[in-house]
Amino acid sequence: MTSKLSKSLHIAPMMGYTNRHFRYLMRLIAPQSIVYTEMITTGACLFGNQATLLAFDKAESPIVCQIGGSNPQECAESVKIIESYGYSGINLNVGCPSSRVQQGSIGACLYLKPKIVQSCIEAMSDVTQLPITIKCRIGVNDLDDYKTLLNFVQMCYDSGVKCLQLHARKAILNLSPKANRLIPPLNYQYVYNIQNDMPECNIILNGGVNTLDTVISSIGKVSGFMVGRAAYQNPWLLRAFDSYISTFNNCESTDRDRFSRRDNTSERIKVVDDYLSYAESQYKLGVSSRVLLRPLANLCHSLHHAKRWRHTLNNMMQTNTIMKDKECLLQCLVNQ
């Protein structure tokens, strides 16, 4: 998978959002992207309902499974299970600052324990040929200097990690996850410098990647971009990201207006039509219409008939009528 990481788009793992249905929609909107599961703890992977946690549609590939763990043996055993399901890679969570995650000695607190991270990487690498990647912050608490970050990335690279997703904020462990997304300032320069100092490593910029201008201003300075909450707050934005990055890779014209102002109503209709067909097939398997239609909620973000779109979706959720009301939903797009 590392060969596909150059100037690539990654859809960040997000608890409560990046389930298999959301990922299917992301694949339709941004076909060149790499999608991630929600974080799955090693305990859940080893002792939970593996089919529910790990099953995915082949259309989602390439897909990376993010795990949370700090016990090397448990990480290795989890990876063997994950590999059997056909995933494209493994991502170790070293970035989540939630107190609940910290209680399990996983997430951002592992940045303070690099030897444990190294042991986990080596244990996983011993049992799989899948690429192991790391998602982490650029620092934790007062340990936020550039030298420490560089040493951490170098250690990961020397242990076999060739790609890291760097959230360009440090984590403050006594703050909530929401506060950690808002209070620590973004420091893109740290991420740019890591990529410059380690050109052989794929460094993926994460944090605040929510406008096309951010992608344009950073595209020559990192190996790719990871988008988090913008992916569900304004999912169609990922279409512009995906198209711009793909075009950049093909050395074509990358004029901003070509991607931010073009009329893409027909493309949006096609995506919705395809997703509803998928949703109908999943509904017949017993998945609730609310779960299936929720990923579409913000697809018309900032458009004139966004309120009508959400109202129509809500009616479909309540009445369990996916295909019956499809034309009514698509009409919202036609009338934009």
Side-chain angles (χ1 to χ4, degrees):
M1 190 178 66
T2 51
S3 62
K4 298 181 180 180
L5 290 176
S6 179
K7 308 300 181 293
S8 55
L9 178 64
H10 301 238
I11 313 300
M14 293 175 284
M15 296 300 293
Y17 288 95
T18 49
N19 60 31
R20 60 185 301 180
H21 313 302
F22 180 83
R23 298 192 304 259
Y24 192 97
L25 177 64
M26 288 294 101
R27 174 63 64 235
L28 293 174
I29 293 174
Q32 304 302 315
S33 64
I34 298 170
V35 298
Y36 289 66
T37 68
E38 302 171 79
M39 184 187 72
I40 302 171
T41 65
T42 53
C45 188
L46 294 173
F47 308 111
N49 188 326
Q50 294 170 359
T52 299
L53 290 170
L54 296 173
F56 63 93
D57 192 288
K58 62 180 181 181
E60 297 173 46
S61 296
I63 176 172
V64 176
C65 184
Q66 187 186 69
I67 65 171
S70 58
N71 180 292
Q73 183 177 352
E74 292 179 358
C75 286
E77 291 301 316
S78 296
V79 164
K80 288 190 286 187
I81 295 169
I82 292 166
E83 185 173 30
S84 71
Y85 276 82
Y87 280 84
S88 305
I90 308 293
N91 182 260
L92 181 64
N93 187 326
V94 189
C96 181
S98 82
S99 57
R100 183 177 179 181
V101 166
Q102 290 177 52
Q103 289 173 4
S105 298
I106 58 180
C109 63
L110 284 177
Y111 186 82
L112 306 175
K113 305 172 183 178
K115 290 186 177 180
I116 291 179
V117 175
Q118 183 179 26
S119 296
C120 289
I121 295 170
E122 291 173 348
M124 291 187 289
S125 298
D126 285 343
V127 298
T128 184
Q129 293 299 309
L130 292 178
I132 308 295
T133 63
I134 298 288
K135 186 177 187 297
C136 67
R137 297 280 184 135
I138 59 172
V140 172
N141 293 342
D142 294 330
L143 195 64
D144 58 0
D145 61 284
Y146 180 75
K147 183 178 179 181
T148 297
L149 175 62
L150 181 61
N151 288 340
F152 182 85
V153 174
Q154 185 68 60
M155 177 274 295
C156 291
Y157 183 83
D158 291 343
S159 300
V161 171
K162 307 307 177 188
C163 175
L164 289 92
Q165 296 82 26
L166 294 184
H167 188 138
R169 291 183 176 92
K170 74 174 183 177
I172 301 175
L173 297 182
N174 64 350
L175 294 181
S176 69
K178 181 178 180 180
N180 265 289
R181 295 193 298 271
L182 300 172
I183 294 176
L186 285 167
N187 187 344
Y188 283 179
Q189 196 58 54
Y190 262 26
V191 182
Y192 299 156
N193 290 347
I194 289 291
Q195 183 67 92
N196 185 65
D197 289 340
M198 296 191 65
E200 69 281 7
C201 188
N202 290 290
I203 301 299
I204 309 302
L205 176 65
N206 178 225
V209 183
N210 52 24
T211 68
L212 186 58
D213 285 337
T214 300
V215 173
I216 291 171
S217 64
S218 302
I219 199 165
K221 302 173 184 176
V222 290
S223 294
F225 303 87
M226 176 169 271
V227 182
R229 274 151 184 80
Y232 67 79
Q233 292 170 346
N234 184 11
W236 197 253
L237 180 64
L238 278 292
R239 186 72 158 201
F241 289 1
D242 189 63
S243 298
Y244 186 88
I245 293 169
S246 178
T247 303
F248 184 94
N249 285 340
N250 293 328
C251 300
E252 300 174 12
S253 169
T254 51
D255 176 65
R256 183 190 187 282
D257 290 347
R258 175 181 169 191
F259 301 92
S260 60
R261 296 180 184 175
R262 66 181 182 178
D263 179 8
N264 50 30
T265 299
S266 61
E267 295 178 9
R268 207 180 303 229
I269 289 173
K270 178 67 164 59
V271 165
V272 173
D273 196 23
D274 289 348
Y275 182 79
L276 290 179
S277 295
Y278 161 80
E280 179 69 6
S281 67
Q282 290 294 307
Y283 179 71
K284 291 177 179 177
L285 294 175
V287 183
S288 76
S289 59
R290 182 168 295 277
V291 169
L292 290 166
L293 295 175
R294 184 187 179 207
L296 293 173
N298 294 320
L299 194 66
C300 290
H301 175 83
S302 78
L303 296 184
H304 181 62
H305 291 297
K307 185 175 181 179
R308 180 185 168 193
W309 169 269
R310 289 192 296 270
H311 178 73
T312 304
L313 268 180
N314 189 56
N315 285 340
M316 293 169 68
M317 291 177 185
Q318 293 180 359
T319 58
N320 295 321
T321 52
I322 294 177
M323 297 306 284
K324 181 180 177 181
D325 292 335
K326 180 179 79 169
E327 293 306 320
C328 183
L329 189 66
L330 294 178
Q331 196 63 33
C332 296
L333 300 176
V334 173
N335 292 332
Q336 292 297 340

